[in-house]
Amino acid sequence: AQVGLRGAGRRAVTGDNRVFAPAWTAIDLGLRYTTQWQGQRVQLGLNLLNAGNERYIESSQFGQLLYGSTRAL
């Protein structure tokens, strides 16, 4: 089993530092299974990104806020 954390602290999103995006944390989970198939080693994996379905601002460009990905399998 695998667990990963991604995130960012509170940060300015405008050039004059008057508007800030809040801090966020997303949790990623994964499973891996190794077996044999027709004499060959096979590894199967399953990843769940943003398991808590956190809504977050990943970045800002040219005055636009870009949201991060929702939960994905």
Side-chain angles (χ1 to χ4, degrees):
Q2 302 165 336
V3 176
L5 294 174
R6 298 177 290 123
R10 183 176 179 260
R11 64 215 179 278
V13 295
T14 58
D16 61 4
N17 294 336
R18 292 176 60 185
V19 178
F20 289 83
W24 61 272
T25 302
I27 300 171
D28 300 330
L29 304 173
L31 295 173
R32 191 175 295 166
Y33 178 73
T34 303
T35 188
Q36 293 281 329
W37 187 63
Q38 295 184 353
Q40 297 290 321
R41 181 175 175 242
V42 176
Q43 193 171 67
L44 305 171
L46 180 68
N47 294 311
L48 178 61
L49 304 177
N50 194 5
N53 205 26
E54 180 76 20
R55 184 172 166 91
Y56 61 95
I57 297 170
E58 190 164 26
S59 64
S60 62
Q61 296 178 358
F62 310 110
Q64 294 182 344
L65 301 178
L66 304 174
Y67 285 90
S69 299
T70 57
R71 182 183 303 132
L73 184 61

